[in-house]
Amino acid sequence: MGAIDHKPPSLQQKSDPNSVALALLRIAVGVFFAVFGQYKVFGSGFVHSGFRGYIAGFIRDGAYPFMGPVLRWILAHASTSMALAVGYGEFLIGISLVIGLFSRVASLFGCALMLAMWLSGGYPGPHAAFWMYWGASLNWSVFAICFAVLAVGHPEEVASVRRVIAFGRRSATPSM
């Protein structure tokens, strides 16, 4: 007969240092993005004027040349809907990572968002030294690397809602 382990989920979670470190990274990045997104979602400044200002600044100060037409189109036709998508996207990425549910999906969206941000605002100019392209991307590449690590790793092994749900399913299954 199989015995069911009735320990609370927090005691059954893996405690190897790598799983703990990945969970800490997941939660820390999640807190950043929850904070980034909450002021955009729950405040009115970003949707109504802040997003337009960011896009105009990207066009003026440092978008990759092929991104210029895309950014101008967004300003002309879709700034409010894109502002909502960015705000809710950042907020949901953050919440997903903090609670540890759909972390890989959230991380893939986070990578896509960071790539879009880098291409929109990280162009050092046509005659810049190669290393300057990397330096100009620091605002976004660090988070992109974090998201990539979370997407390929197992970010929900420790301190996650997914583990609690899995424990609930196991303990509800009767043993024979």
Side-chain angles (χ1 to χ4, degrees):
M1 303 234 166
I4 296 176
D5 191 353
H6 292 287
K7 292 180 189 172
S10 62
L11 297 177
Q12 288 187 335
Q13 295 175 347
K14 292 183 180 181
S15 60
D16 76 88
N18 290 333
S19 294
V20 172
L22 204 54
L24 290 173
L25 177 66
R26 185 195 84 227
I27 293 166
V29 170
V31 167
F32 273 107
F33 274 77
V35 170
F36 293 161
Q38 69 83 27
Y39 89 86
K40 293 171 183 165
V41 169
F42 298 114
S44 61
F46 181 76
V47 172
H48 298 295
S49 61
F51 183 76
R52 290 183 67 80
Y54 282 120
I55 298 297
F58 287 155
I59 292 169
R60 182 186 66 245
D61 298 332
Y64 277 80
F66 63 87
M67 287 297 290
V70 174
L71 296 173
R72 281 188 281 284
W73 182 88
I74 289 171
L75 275 180
H77 302 290
S79 65
T80 301
S81 57
M82 288 301 293
L84 289 169
V86 167
Y88 277 98
E90 286 181 0
F91 187 64
L92 293 173
I93 287 168
I95 295 300
S96 175
L97 294 177
V98 167
I99 66 173
L101 194 61
F102 303 114
S103 297
R104 284 185 171 163
V105 172
S107 296
L108 291 174
F109 278 104
C111 277
L113 179 61
M114 294 300 96
L115 178 63
M117 296 293 290
W118 172 51
L119 294 175
S120 297
Y123 184 58
H127 303 294
F130 180 72
W131 66 267
M132 294 176 105
Y133 287 88
W134 296 104
S137 76
L138 284 178
N139 289 344
W140 305 285
S141 61
V142 173
F143 277 119
I145 291 168
C146 292
F147 284 128
V149 167
L150 293 171
V152 300
H154 298 283
E156 298 174 355
E157 292 294 322
V158 174
S160 70
V161 168
R162 186 189 66 80
R163 296 280 296 169
V164 173
I165 292 169
F167 174 75
R169 286 185 190 147
R170 269 198 314 265
S171 64
T173 305
S175 62
M176 303 239 169

